[in-house]
Structure formats: C-alpha cells, structure tokens
Amino acid sequence: MKRLAKWRLTSLFAILALILSGCSGERYVSALRPAGEVADMQYGLMKLSTYVMVGVIIVVMLIFVIIMVRFRRKDDKIPKQVEGSHTLEILWTAIPILLLLILAVPTVSATFKLADVKEMDKKDTKALVINVRSHLYWWDFEYPGQKIVTSQELVVPTDEKVYFNLKSLDVKHSFWIPAVGGKLDMNTDNINKFWLEFDDKRANEAGNLFYGKCAELCGPSHALMDFKVKAMSRDKFDSWVSAMQDVKEPQKAKTDLAAEGQDIFNQSCIGCHAVTPANKMPETARLAPNLTNFGDRSRVAGILDHKKEDLKNWIKNPETYKPGNQMTGKYQDLTDDQLDALAEYLMGLKVQE
C-alpha cells in the first residue's frame, strides 16, 4: 500500500514538472510577461478570472470549515431545515450573477476594443498595415503601403498600433505572438483583421526580438512553424524600410564563391524564391519565402541557428528538419562544393550592415 502511495506521489510530481516546464517566463515568448497593450488587456482578464475563481474557492472552503466545526452533529436532533428559504434562494442566485457581471463587463469591453480596426480600413490611412500569409510551413509578410515583402521575420515599429490582415494559403493556421497578444485564426476563404502594439521599453528588455508561433494544429511540422518579430523604434523601422526599398535588383555576389552560389541559385532556386522585396507576384504564386534580406535574419527556416553549416544541412535535406514541407524534392541533389557556394551567396544577402 505504501509502495502504491509513493508511486502515485512520484507520478503527480512528474506531471506537475512536465506542465510547469512550459512556463519559461522568458519575456520574449511568455504570455505571462506581456509586452504590449493587447497583451496587457488579455493578461488583466486572466488575472481577474483567476482572482474570482480563487475568491469563490476560499469562501466556499471557509463556509465548509465553519459548518463542519460549528454545526457538527452532537445529538440526535434534526438540524433546522432551510428548504424554501427565499433569502437563501435570492442570495445564491444573485451572487453568481454578480460574479458573471464582474467577468463579462471588462471582457466585452476589451473584445470591442480589440476588434476596432476602423483605422486600417480608411482610404488614406497612415496606419501601418501588414498582410500576413501563412503556408506549410513558413510565413509571408507584405507591407502594402511600403511596397515590400519579406518572410519568416516580421519587422515592426514600437509604441504604435500595427494592423494585420491574416489569411492562409493552404490549410488552417493561427497567428500568435504570445508575449504581445493574439491569437487569431488564419483561414483560406476569408481575411481576419486585428492589431497589436509593441511596447518599446519591454521590447528592449526582451532584446527587441519576440517569438511567433502557429497556434493551430496544421500538419506534421506544426510545432516547427515559427517566426521571429523584430521590434524597433520608428526611426530604425523607417531606416529598415528604406534599405529594403533600395534593393531594386537582385544583389550581386561579393566574392567568387558567392558568384558560383548565385549561378546555382538562378538555376535551381529562383523559380520559387524571390530576392527582391518588391515582389509583384500574386500571393498565390509565392511558392517559398522571400530571401531578399536572408543574411540579416536570426534563424534558418525559422528554427535552426543562422550559420552556414545549418543552412547547408537544411538545403541538403529539409525533410529531416520539417517533415511535410513544400521544399523537399523541388531541386536536384547538390554536391558539398555547390552547397558551400550557395550558402556563401545566401548569407551575403543583407540590406543593412
């Protein structure tokens, strides 16, 4: 019996450790450390709900203990019956209604505020609007007002509202930046809209880099469908936009090895990948991530370290890292020398020093 109790206790601690391991607490990825107005509102609602639930539990437990101690059975007398008491019926009907109102009023108010996207729909709006398109298993970010397209890494200014048009190009996905707010479904047959705001101070504390995820089970590599968010001041954002807009033609390779890589890229990769930000192809024709500023990014394929060795491994066998991706089998096998040259070229695709 003691052995069974010990086994149950060990199992309980193991389960708790597994659950709590998901609470990293890191500011750049945790929903419990909000870094923007939307996240603040949602975190406030979470705290309010928790306080109400804990309050109810404490009150019920106190009543239970008081009754157990004060009214425990001492003789054979039947306790006073309260059946049909109007006072008690009103009391236990009114209290739940009051608790629901405490939860409902701020929730409804926040819902309407979060759904307010009138500014992005104005004809001459100055708001920053980004079209987000999700694919198996990568992300496309188009800035229609700035006429640039990038992929895998979202770049946004801090301390202002950023509006998003969300759509999926294949299966159902969900756009989620845990530390900043969300999440919202991405469907194939309609566009969902919402906004986020990135707090400058808290973005600095997070290293100006947040993690984004797909929150909808979308396939075998769902857990690997990551993207990164670079949050920066308005001045730095404008500088990034200008640098992207200055790329009118594919950047020329700077070394002989990179030149070999560019030739390989033009023979094997250019059919799917663009290397200029003014991608004029319709969204349905964008078959793979835009690589204009690939050398400036922080990850390869959203998940691997941004190093040549990891890039070569990814190109050599993407199926190993993201099962079910759309890149596998789209080009011929490359030799190690060809992979070296191609990696040299791609790592040199930078728009900012």
Side-chain angles (χ1 to χ4, degrees), residues 92-109:
W92 59 51
T93 301
I95 291 176
I97 292 175
L98 179 63
L99 293 177
L100 285 176
L101 286 174
I102 292 173
L103 291 171
V105 172
T107 300
V108 172
S109 174

Side-chain angles (χ1 to χ4, degrees), residues 252-273:
K252 293 183 179 178
K254 297 177 181 177
T255 65
D256 292 341
L257 183 61
E260 292 179 27
Q262 188 167 17
D263 289 339
I264 296 169
F265 181 87
N266 290 336
Q267 294 170 15
S268 305
C269 314
I270 196 69
C272 297
H273 292 281

Side-chain angles (χ1 to χ4, degrees), residues 206-217:
N208 295 101
L209 187 70
F210 295 103
Y211 280 20
K213 301 285 294 184
C214 173
E216 187 74 36
L217 185 59

Side-chain angles (χ1 to χ4, degrees), residues 18-47:
L18 180 64
I19 295 173
L20 294 175
S21 66
C23 305
S24 68
E26 298 292 347
R27 185 173 289 283
Y28 57 83
V29 72
S30 175
L32 301 180
R33 302 189 69 181
E37 184 177 350
V38 173
D40 285 336
M41 280 191 281
Q42 294 170 342
Y43 186 56
L45 292 175
M46 289 167 57
K47 288 196 295 184

Side-chain angles (χ1 to χ4, degrees), residues 267-269 273 312-319 325 327-334 339 342:
Q267 294 170 15
S268 305
C269 314
H273 292 281
K312 289 190 292 184
N313 289 336
W314 165 254
I315 297 171
K316 195 171 185 178
N317 192 359
E319 194 68 13
N325 75 86
M327 183 171 165
T328 301
K330 293 292 193 301
Y331 49 91
Q332 75 280 10
D333 291 338
L334 302 173
L339 287 171
L342 188 54

Side-chain angles (χ1 to χ4, degrees), residues 272-283:
C272 297
H273 292 281
V275 284
T276 54
N279 195 336
K280 297 179 181 177
M281 289 191 297
E283 60 186 22

Side-chain angles (χ1 to χ4, degrees), residues 5-18:
K6 186 177 180 181
W7 180 84
R8 287 177 176 174
L9 193 62
T10 303
S11 300
L12 178 63
F13 279 113
I15 292 171
L16 283 174
L18 180 64

Side-chain angles (χ1 to χ4, degrees), residues 113-131:
K113 189 172 183 179
L114 295 175
D116 182 8
V117 292
K118 294 191 295 290
E119 184 62 31
M120 70 184 293
D121 292 328
K122 292 179 180 177
K123 186 177 180 180
D124 299 320
T125 182
K126 294 183 180 178
L128 176 62
V129 179
I130 301 175
N131 298 333

